[in-house]
Amino acid sequence: MQTQPDAHPEQPGDWKRNGYVWLVLAGPLLVIIAAFVTAYIAWHGADPVVAEKYQEMRNKADVGAMLPAQRARNHAATPADQIPMPRQPAQ
């Protein structure tokens, strides 16, 4: 019985010409490039520190305008058993 020769005999070739190698390497290479781009954007486009701007804004702000918000915040944090009873209108 005769065996048929392989239609595509294995030939050692250059790995650079194999498409699967580039398909496998493309993912990690794109991730590395994206990391460098992200680092560049973060380094050159950094936002200013919030604490400095907050202090400037806080010094200029009208404290009276914040009182309703502070009252609501404090009321929301009050335990239920310590909430005062509402006043009844005088009749």
Coordinates of all heavy atoms in Angstrom, one line a residue:
M1 N 0.8 -1.2 0.0 CA 0.0 0.0 0.0 C 0.9 1.2 0.0 O 1.8 1.4 0.8 CB -0.9 0.0 1.2 CG -1.7 1.1 1.3 SD -2.7 1.1 2.8 CE -4.3 0.7 2.2
Q2 N 0.6 2.1 -0.9 CA 1.4 3.4 -1.0 C 0.7 4.5 -0.2 O -0.5 4.6 -0.2 CB 1.5 3.8 -2.5 CG 2.5 2.9 -3.2 CD 2.6 3.5 -4.6 OE1 1.7 4.1 -5.2 NE2 3.8 3.4 -5.2
T3 N 1.5 5.3 0.4 CA 1.0 6.5 1.1 C 1.2 7.7 0.2 O 2.2 7.8 -0.6 CB 1.7 6.8 2.4 OG1 3.1 6.9 2.1 CG2 1.5 5.6 3.4
Q4 N 0.2 8.6 0.2 CA 0.3 9.8 -0.6 C 1.2 10.8 0.1 O 1.1 11.0 1.3 CB -1.1 10.3 -0.9 CG -2.0 9.4 -1.6 CD -3.3 10.0 -1.9 OE1 -3.7 11.0 -1.2 NE2 -4.1 9.5 -2.8
P5 N 2.0 11.5 -0.7 CA 2.8 12.5 -0.1 C 1.9 13.7 0.4 O 0.8 13.9 -0.1 CB 3.7 13.0 -1.3 CG 3.0 12.6 -2.5 CD 2.2 11.4 -2.1
D6 N 2.4 14.4 1.4 CA 1.6 15.5 1.9 C 1.5 16.6 0.9 O 2.4 16.9 0.1 CB 2.4 16.1 3.1 CG 2.3 15.2 4.3 OD1 1.4 14.4 4.4 OD2 3.2 15.4 5.2
A7 N 0.3 17.2 0.8 CA 0.0 18.2 -0.1 C 0.8 19.5 0.2 O 1.2 20.2 -0.6 CB -1.5 18.5 -0.2
H8 N 1.0 19.7 1.5 CA 1.7 20.9 2.0 C 2.8 20.4 2.9 O 2.6 20.4 4.1 CB 0.8 21.8 2.7 CG -0.4 22.3 1.9 ND1 -0.2 23.2 0.9 CD2 -1.7 22.0 1.9 CE1 -1.4 23.5 0.3 NE2 -2.3 22.7 0.9
P9 N 3.9 20.1 2.4 CA 5.0 19.6 3.3 C 5.4 20.8 4.2 O 5.4 21.9 3.8 CB 6.1 19.2 2.4 CG 5.8 19.9 1.1 CD 4.4 20.1 1.1
E10 N 5.8 20.4 5.5 CA 6.3 21.5 6.4 C 7.6 22.0 5.9 O 8.5 21.3 5.7 CB 6.4 20.9 7.8 CG 5.1 20.5 8.4 CD 5.3 20.0 9.8 OE1 6.2 20.5 10.5 OE2 4.5 19.3 10.3
Q11 N 7.6 23.3 5.8 CA 8.9 24.0 5.4 C 9.2 25.0 6.5 O 8.3 25.8 6.9 CB 8.7 24.7 4.1 CG 8.4 23.8 2.9 CD 8.1 24.6 1.7 OE1 8.1 25.8 1.7 NE2 7.9 23.9 0.6
P12 N 10.4 24.9 7.0 CA 10.8 25.9 8.0 C 10.8 27.3 7.3 O 11.4 27.5 6.3 CB 12.1 25.5 8.5 CG 12.7 24.6 7.4 CD 11.5 24.0 6.7
G13 N 10.1 28.2 7.9 CA 10.0 29.6 7.3 C 10.3 30.6 8.3 O 10.6 30.4 9.5
D14 N 10.3 31.8 7.8 CA 10.6 32.9 8.6 C 9.3 33.2 9.5 O 8.2 33.3 8.9 CB 10.9 34.1 7.7 CG 11.5 35.3 8.5 OD1 11.9 35.1 9.7 OD2 11.6 36.4 7.9
W15 N 9.5 33.4 10.8 CA 8.3 33.6 11.6 C 7.7 35.0 11.4 O 6.5 35.1 11.6 CB 8.7 33.6 13.1 CG 9.7 34.6 13.6 CD1 11.0 34.6 13.5 CD2 9.3 35.9 14.1 NE1 11.6 35.8 14.0 CE2 10.5 36.6 14.3 CE3 8.1 36.5 14.4 CZ2 10.6 37.9 14.9 CZ3 8.2 37.8 14.9 CH2 9.4 38.5 15.1
K16 N 8.4 35.9 10.8 CA 7.8 37.2 10.5 C 6.8 37.1 9.4 O 5.9 38.0 9.2 CB 8.9 38.2 10.1 CG 9.9 38.4 11.1 CD 11.0 39.3 10.6 CE 12.2 39.3 11.6 NZ 13.3 40.0 11.0
R17 N 6.8 36.1 8.6 CA 5.8 36.0 7.5 C 4.6 35.2 7.9 O 3.7 35.1 7.1 CB 6.5 35.3 6.3 CG 7.6 36.1 5.8 CD 8.3 35.4 4.6 NE 9.5 36.1 4.2 CZ 9.7 36.5 3.0 NH1 8.9 36.1 2.0 NH2 10.8 37.2 2.7
N18 N 4.6 34.7 9.1 CA 3.4 33.9 9.6 C 2.4 34.9 10.2 O 2.7 35.7 11.1 CB 3.8 32.9 10.6 CG 2.7 31.9 11.0 OD1 1.6 32.1 10.6 ND2 3.1 30.9 11.6
G19 N 1.2 34.9 9.6 CA 0.1 35.9 10.1 C -0.3 35.6 11.5 O -0.7 36.6 12.2
Y20 N -0.3 34.4 11.9 CA -0.8 34.1 13.3 C 0.1 34.7 14.4 O -0.3 35.1 15.4 CB -0.9 32.6 13.5 CG -2.1 32.0 12.7 CD1 -1.9 31.1 11.7 CD2 -3.4 32.4 13.0 CE1 -2.9 30.6 11.0 CE2 -4.4 31.8 12.3 CZ -4.2 30.9 11.3 OH -5.2 30.4 10.6
V21 N 1.4 34.8 14.1 CA 2.3 35.4 15.0 C 1.9 36.9 15.2 O 1.9 37.3 16.4 CB 3.8 35.3 14.5 CG1 4.7 36.1 15.4 CG2 4.2 33.8 14.5
W22 N 1.6 37.6 14.2 CA 1.3 39.0 14.3 C -0.1 39.1 14.9 O -0.3 40.1 15.6 CB 1.3 39.7 12.9 CG 2.7 39.7 12.4 CD1 3.3 39.0 11.4 CD2 3.8 40.5 13.0 NE1 4.6 39.3 11.2 CE2 4.9 40.3 12.2 CE3 3.9 41.4 14.0 CZ2 6.1 40.9 12.5 CZ3 5.1 42.0 14.3 CH2 6.2 41.7 13.5
L23 N -1.0 38.2 14.7 CA -2.3 38.2 15.3 C -2.2 38.1 16.8 O -2.8 38.8 17.6 CB -3.2 37.1 14.7 CG -4.6 37.1 15.3 CD1 -5.4 38.3 14.8 CD2 -5.3 35.8 14.8
V24 N -1.3 37.2 17.3 CA -1.1 37.0 18.7 C -0.4 38.2 19.3 O -0.7 38.6 20.4 CB -0.3 35.7 18.9 CG1 0.1 35.5 20.4 CG2 -1.2 34.5 18.5
L25 N 0.6 38.7 18.6 CA 1.4 39.8 19.2 C 0.7 41.2 19.1 O 1.0 42.1 19.9 CB 2.7 39.9 18.5 CG 3.7 38.8 18.7 CD1 5.0 39.0 17.8 CD2 4.1 38.7 20.1
A26 N -0.3 41.3 18.3 CA -1.0 42.6 18.1 C -1.7 43.1 19.4 O -1.6 44.2 19.7 CB -2.0 42.5 16.9
G27 N -2.3 42.2 20.1 CA -3.1 42.5 21.3 C -2.2 43.2 22.4 O -2.4 44.3 22.8
P28 N -1.1 42.4 22.8 CA -0.3 43.0 23.8 C 0.5 44.3 23.3 O 0.6 45.2 24.1 CB 0.7 41.9 24.1 CG 0.0 40.7 23.7 CD -0.9 41.0 22.6
L29 N 0.8 44.4 22.1 CA 1.5 45.6 21.6 C 0.5 46.8 21.6 O 0.9 47.9 22.0 CB 2.0 45.3 20.2 CG 3.2 44.4 20.0 CD1 3.6 44.2 18.6 CD2 4.4 45.0 20.8
L30 N -0.7 46.6 21.3 CA -1.7 47.7 21.3 C -1.9 48.1 22.8 O -2.1 49.3 23.0 CB -3.0 47.2 20.7 CG -3.0 47.2 19.2 CD1 -4.3 46.6 18.6 CD2 -2.7 48.5 18.6
V31 N -1.9 47.2 23.7 CA -2.1 47.5 25.1 C -0.9 48.4 25.6 O -1.1 49.4 26.3 CB -2.3 46.3 26.0 CG1 -2.2 46.6 27.4 CG2 -3.6 45.6 25.6
I32 N 0.3 48.0 25.2 CA 1.5 48.8 25.6 C 1.4 50.2 25.0 O 1.7 51.2 25.7 CB 2.7 48.0 25.2 CG1 2.9 46.8 26.1 CG2 4.0 48.9 25.4 CD1 4.0 45.8 25.6
I33 N 1.0 50.3 23.8 CA 0.9 51.6 23.1 C -0.1 52.4 23.8 O 0.1 53.6 24.1 CB 0.7 51.5 21.6 CG1 1.9 50.9 21.0 CG2 0.3 52.8 21.0 CD1 1.7 50.4 19.5
A34 N -1.3 51.8 24.1 CA -2.4 52.6 24.8 C -1.9 53.0 26.2 O -2.3 54.1 26.7 CB -3.6 51.7 24.9
A35 N -1.1 52.2 26.9 CA -0.6 52.6 28.2 C 0.3 53.8 28.1 O 0.1 54.7 29.0 CB 0.1 51.4 28.9
F36 N 1.1 53.9 27.1 CA 2.0 55.0 27.0 C 1.2 56.3 26.6 O 1.4 57.4 27.1 CB 3.1 54.8 25.9 CG 4.2 54.0 26.5 CD1 4.5 52.7 26.0 CD2 5.0 54.5 27.4 CE1 5.5 52.0 26.5 CE2 6.1 53.8 27.9 CZ 6.3 52.5 27.5
V37 N 0.2 56.1 25.7 CA -0.7 57.3 25.4 C -1.4 57.8 26.6 O -1.5 59.0 26.8 CB -1.6 56.9 24.2 CG1 -2.7 57.9 24.0 CG2 -0.9 56.6 22.9
T38 N -2.0 56.9 27.4 CA -2.7 57.2 28.6 C -1.8 57.9 29.6 O -2.2 58.9 30.2 CB -3.3 56.0 29.2 OG1 -4.2 55.4 28.3 CG2 -4.1 56.4 30.5
A39 N -0.6 57.4 29.7 CA 0.4 58.1 30.7 C 0.7 59.5 30.2 O 0.8 60.4 31.0 CB 1.6 57.2 30.8
Y40 N 0.9 59.7 28.9 CA 1.2 61.0 28.3 C 0.0 62.0 28.6 O 0.3 63.1 29.0 CB 1.5 60.9 26.8 CG 1.7 62.2 26.1 CD1 2.9 62.8 26.2 CD2 0.6 62.9 25.5 CE1 3.1 64.1 25.6 CE2 0.8 64.1 24.9 CZ 2.1 64.7 25.0 OH 2.3 65.9 24.4
I41 N -1.2 61.5 28.3 CA -2.3 62.4 28.6 C -2.5 62.7 30.0 O -2.7 63.9 30.4 CB -3.6 61.7 28.1 CG1 -3.6 61.6 26.5 CG2 -4.9 62.4 28.5 CD1 -4.7 60.7 26.0
A42 N -2.2 61.7 30.9 CA -2.3 62.0 32.3 C -1.2 63.0 32.8 O -1.5 63.8 33.7 CB -2.2 60.7 33.1
W43 N -0.1 62.8 32.2 CA 1.1 63.7 32.7 C 0.9 65.1 32.2 O 1.1 66.1 32.9 CB 2.4 63.1 32.2 CG 3.6 63.8 32.7 CD1 4.3 64.8 32.1 CD2 4.2 63.6 34.0 NE1 5.3 65.2 32.9 CE2 5.3 64.5 34.1 CE3 3.9 62.7 35.0 CZ2 6.1 64.5 35.2 CZ3 4.8 62.8 36.1 CH2 5.8 63.7 36.2
H44 N 0.5 65.3 30.9 CA 0.4 66.6 30.3 C -0.9 67.3 30.5 O -1.0 68.5 30.3 CB 0.8 66.6 28.9 CG 2.3 66.2 28.7 ND1 3.2 67.1 28.9 CD2 2.9 65.1 28.2 CE1 4.4 66.6 28.7 NE2 4.2 65.3 28.3
G45 N -1.9 66.5 30.8 CA -3.3 67.1 31.0 C -3.8 67.0 32.3 O -5.0 66.8 32.5
A46 N -2.9 67.0 33.4 CA -3.4 66.8 34.7 C -4.3 68.0 35.2 O -4.0 69.1 34.9 CB -2.2 66.7 35.6
D47 N -5.3 67.6 35.9 CA -6.2 68.6 36.5 C -5.6 69.3 37.6 O -4.7 68.7 38.3 CB -7.5 67.9 36.9 CG -8.3 67.4 35.8 OD1 -8.2 68.0 34.7 OD2 -9.1 66.4 35.9
P48 N -6.0 70.5 37.9 CA -5.4 71.2 39.1 C -5.9 70.5 40.4 O -6.9 69.9 40.4 CB -5.9 72.6 39.0 CG -7.1 72.5 38.1 CD -6.9 71.4 37.2
V49 N -5.2 70.8 41.4 CA -5.6 70.2 42.7 C -6.9 70.8 43.2 O -7.1 72.0 43.1 CB -4.5 70.4 43.8 CG1 -4.9 69.9 45.1 CG2 -3.2 69.8 43.3
V50 N -7.8 70.0 43.6 CA -9.1 70.4 44.0 C -9.1 71.2 45.3 O -9.8 72.2 45.4 CB -10.1 69.2 44.1 CG1 -11.5 69.7 44.6 CG2 -10.2 68.5 42.8
A51 N -8.3 70.9 46.2 CA -8.2 71.5 47.5 C -7.9 73.0 47.4 O -8.5 73.8 48.1 CB -7.2 70.8 48.4
E52 N -7.0 73.4 46.6 CA -6.7 74.8 46.4 C -7.9 75.6 45.9 O -8.3 76.6 46.4 CB -5.5 75.0 45.5 CG -4.2 74.4 46.0 CD -3.1 74.4 45.0 OE1 -3.4 75.0 43.9 OE2 -2.0 73.9 45.3
K53 N -8.6 75.1 44.8 CA -9.7 75.8 44.3 C -10.9 75.8 45.3 O -11.6 76.8 45.4 CB -10.1 75.2 43.0 CG -9.2 75.5 41.9 CD -9.8 75.2 40.6 CE -8.9 75.7 39.5 NZ -9.5 76.5 38.5
Y54 N -11.0 74.7 46.0 CA -12.1 74.7 47.0 C -11.9 75.7 48.1 O -12.9 76.4 48.5 CB -12.2 73.3 47.6 CG -13.2 73.1 48.7 CD1 -14.6 73.1 48.4 CD2 -12.9 73.1 50.0 CE1 -15.5 73.0 49.4 CE2 -13.8 73.0 51.0 CZ -15.1 73.0 50.7 OH -16.1 72.9 51.6
Q55 N -10.7 75.9 48.6 CA -10.5 76.9 49.6 C -10.7 78.3 49.1 O -11.3 79.1 49.8 CB -9.0 76.8 50.1 CG -8.8 75.5 50.9 CD -9.6 75.5 52.2 OE1 -10.0 76.5 52.8 NE2 -10.0 74.3 52.6
E56 N -10.3 78.6 47.8 CA -10.6 79.9 47.3 C -12.1 80.1 47.1 O -12.6 81.2 47.5 CB -10.0 80.0 45.9 CG -8.5 80.0 45.9 CD -7.9 79.9 44.5 OE1 -8.6 80.1 43.5 OE2 -6.7 79.7 44.4
M57 N -12.8 79.1 46.7 CA -14.2 79.2 46.5 C -14.9 79.3 47.9 O -15.9 80.1 48.0 CB -14.8 78.0 45.8 CG -16.2 78.1 45.4 SD -16.8 76.7 44.4 CE -16.7 75.4 45.6
R58 N -14.5 78.6 48.8 CA -15.0 78.6 50.2 C -14.9 80.0 50.8 O -15.8 80.5 51.5 CB -14.4 77.5 51.0 CG -14.9 77.5 52.4 CD -16.1 76.6 52.5 NE -16.4 76.3 53.9 CZ -17.5 76.1 54.3 NH1 -18.5 75.9 53.5 NH2 -17.8 75.8 55.6
N59 N -13.7 80.6 50.6 CA -13.5 81.9 51.2 C -14.4 83.0 50.6 O -14.8 84.0 51.2 CB -12.0 82.3 51.0 CG -11.1 81.5 51.9 OD1 -11.5 80.9 52.8 ND2 -9.8 81.4 51.5
K60 N -14.7 82.9 49.3 CA -15.5 83.8 48.6 C -17.0 83.6 48.8 O -17.8 84.5 48.5 CB -15.2 83.8 47.1 CG -13.8 84.3 46.8 CD -13.5 84.2 45.3 CE -12.1 84.6 45.0 NZ -11.8 84.4 43.5
A61 N -17.4 82.4 49.1 CA -18.8 82.0 49.2 C -19.5 82.7 50.3 O -18.9 83.0 51.4 CB -18.9 80.5 49.3
D62 N -20.8 82.9 50.1 CA -21.6 83.5 51.1 C -22.0 82.3 52.1 O -22.7 81.4 51.6 CB -22.9 84.1 50.5 CG -23.8 84.7 51.6 OD1 -23.3 85.0 52.7 OD2 -24.9 85.0 51.2
V63 N -21.6 82.4 53.3 CA -21.9 81.3 54.2 C -23.4 81.1 54.5 O -23.9 80.0 54.7 CB -21.2 81.5 55.6 CG1 -21.5 80.4 56.6 CG2 -19.7 81.6 55.3
G64 N -24.1 82.2 54.4 CA -25.6 82.2 54.6 C -26.3 81.4 53.6 O -27.3 80.8 53.8
A65 N -25.7 81.3 52.4 CA -26.4 80.6 51.3 C -26.2 79.1 51.5 O -27.0 78.3 51.0 CB -25.7 81.0 49.9
M66 N -25.3 78.7 52.3 CA -25.1 77.2 52.6 C -26.0 76.7 53.7 O -26.0 75.5 53.9 CB -23.6 77.0 52.9 CG -22.7 77.2 51.7 SD -21.1 76.6 52.2 CE -20.1 77.4 51.0
L67 N -26.6 77.6 54.5 CA -27.3 77.2 55.7 C -28.4 76.2 55.4 O -28.6 75.2 56.1 CB -27.8 78.4 56.5 CG -26.7 79.1 57.2 CD1 -27.3 80.3 58.0 CD2 -26.0 78.2 58.2
P68 N -29.3 76.4 54.4 CA -30.3 75.4 54.1 C -29.8 74.1 53.8 O -30.3 73.0 54.2 CB -31.1 76.0 52.9 CG -30.8 77.5 53.0 CD -29.4 77.6 53.5
A69 N -28.7 74.0 53.0 CA -28.1 72.7 52.7 C -27.6 72.0 53.9 O -27.7 70.8 54.1 CB -27.0 72.8 51.6
Q70 N -26.9 72.8 54.8 CA -26.4 72.2 56.0 C -27.5 71.7 57.0 O -27.4 70.7 57.6 CB -25.5 73.2 56.7 CG -24.2 73.5 56.0 CD -23.3 74.5 56.7 OE1 -23.8 75.2 57.5 NE2 -22.1 74.7 56.2
R71 N -28.6 72.5 57.0 CA -29.7 72.1 57.9 C -30.3 70.8 57.4 O -30.6 69.9 58.2 CB -30.8 73.2 57.9 CG -31.9 72.8 58.8 CD -33.0 73.9 58.9 NE -32.4 75.1 59.5 CZ -32.9 76.3 59.4 NH1 -34.0 76.5 58.6 NH2 -32.4 77.3 59.9
A72 N -30.5 70.7 56.1 CA -31.0 69.4 55.5 C -30.1 68.3 55.7 O -30.5 67.1 56.0 CB -31.3 69.6 54.0
R73 N -28.8 68.5 55.6 CA -27.8 67.4 55.8 C -27.9 67.0 57.2 O -27.9 65.8 57.5 CB -26.4 67.9 55.4 CG -25.4 66.8 55.6 CD -24.0 67.4 55.7 NE -23.9 68.2 56.9 CZ -23.0 69.2 57.1 NH1 -22.1 69.4 56.1 NH2 -22.9 69.9 58.2
N74 N -27.9 67.9 58.2 CA -27.9 67.5 59.6 C -29.2 66.8 59.9 O -29.2 65.9 60.8 CB -27.7 68.8 60.4 CG -26.3 69.3 60.3 OD1 -25.4 68.6 59.8 ND2 -26.1 70.6 60.7
H75 N -30.3 67.3 59.3 CA -31.6 66.7 59.6 C -31.6 65.2 59.1 O -32.2 64.3 59.8 CB -32.8 67.5 59.0 CG -34.1 66.8 59.2 ND1 -34.7 66.8 60.4 CD2 -34.9 66.2 58.4 CE1 -35.9 66.2 60.3 NE2 -36.0 65.8 59.1
A76 N -31.0 65.0 58.0 CA -31.0 63.6 57.4 C -30.2 62.7 58.3 O -30.4 61.5 58.3 CB -30.5 63.6 56.0
A77 N -29.2 63.2 59.0 CA -28.3 62.4 59.8 C -28.9 62.2 61.2 O -28.3 61.5 62.0 CB -26.9 63.0 59.9
T78 N -29.9 62.9 61.6 CA -30.5 62.8 63.0 C -31.2 61.5 63.1 O -32.0 61.1 62.3 CB -31.5 64.0 63.2 OG1 -30.8 65.2 63.0 CG2 -32.0 63.9 64.6
P79 N -30.9 60.7 64.2 CA -31.7 59.5 64.5 C -33.2 59.8 64.7 O -33.6 60.9 65.1 CB -31.1 59.0 65.8 CG -29.7 59.6 65.9 CD -29.9 61.0 65.2
A80 N -34.0 58.8 64.4 CA -35.5 59.0 64.4 C -36.0 59.4 65.8 O -36.9 60.1 65.9 CB -36.2 57.8 63.8
D81 N -35.4 58.8 66.8 CA -35.9 59.1 68.2 C -35.5 60.4 68.7 O -36.0 60.9 69.7 CB -35.4 58.0 69.1 CG -33.9 57.9 69.2 OD1 -33.2 58.5 68.3 OD2 -33.4 57.3 70.2
Q82 N -34.6 61.2 68.0 CA -34.2 62.5 68.4 C -34.8 63.6 67.6 O -34.5 64.8 67.8 CB -32.7 62.6 68.4 CG -32.0 61.7 69.4 CD -30.5 61.8 69.4 OE1 -30.0 62.6 68.7 NE2 -29.9 61.0 70.2
I83 N -35.7 63.3 66.7 CA -36.3 64.3 65.8 C -37.3 65.1 66.7 O -38.2 64.5 67.3 CB -36.9 63.7 64.6 CG1 -35.9 63.1 63.7 CG2 -37.7 64.8 63.8 CD1 -36.4 62.4 62.5
P84 N -37.2 66.4 66.7 CA -38.2 67.1 67.5 C -39.6 67.1 66.9 O -39.7 67.0 65.7 CB -37.7 68.6 67.6 CG -36.7 68.6 66.4 CD -36.2 67.3 66.2
M85 N -40.6 67.2 67.7 CA -42.0 67.2 67.2 C -42.3 68.6 66.5 O -41.8 69.6 67.0 CB -43.0 67.0 68.3 CG -42.9 65.7 69.0 SD -43.3 64.3 67.9 CE -45.0 64.5 67.7
P86 N -43.0 68.6 65.4 CA -43.3 69.9 64.7 C -44.2 70.8 65.6 O -45.0 70.3 66.4 CB -44.0 69.5 63.5 CG -44.5 68.1 63.7 CD -43.6 67.5 64.7
R87 N -44.0 72.0 65.5 CA -44.7 73.0 66.3 C -46.2 73.1 65.7 O -46.3 73.1 64.5 CB -44.1 74.3 66.3 CG -42.8 74.3 67.0 CD -42.2 75.7 67.0 NE -40.8 75.7 67.5 CZ -40.1 76.8 67.6 NH1 -40.5 77.9 67.1 NH2 -38.9 76.7 68.1
Q88 N -47.1 73.2 66.6 CA -48.5 73.4 66.2 C -48.8 74.9 66.2 O -48.4 75.6 67.0 CB -49.4 72.8 67.2 CG -49.3 71.2 67.3 CD -49.7 70.5 66.1 OE1 -50.6 71.0 65.4 NE2 -49.1 69.4 65.8
P89 N -49.4 75.3 65.1 CA -49.8 76.8 65.0 C -50.7 77.2 66.1 O -51.6 76.4 66.6 CB -50.4 76.9 63.6 CG -50.8 75.6 63.2 CD -49.9 74.6 64.0
A90 N -50.5 78.4 66.6 CA -51.4 78.9 67.7 C -52.8 79.2 67.2 O -52.9 79.7 66.1 CB -50.8 80.1 68.3
Q91 N -53.8 78.8 68.0 CA -55.2 79.0 67.5 C -55.9 80.0 68.4 O -55.7 80.3 69.5 CB -56.0 77.7 67.5 CG -55.4 76.7 66.5 CD -56.2 75.4 66.5 OE1 -57.1 75.2 67.3 NE2 -55.9 74.6 65.6

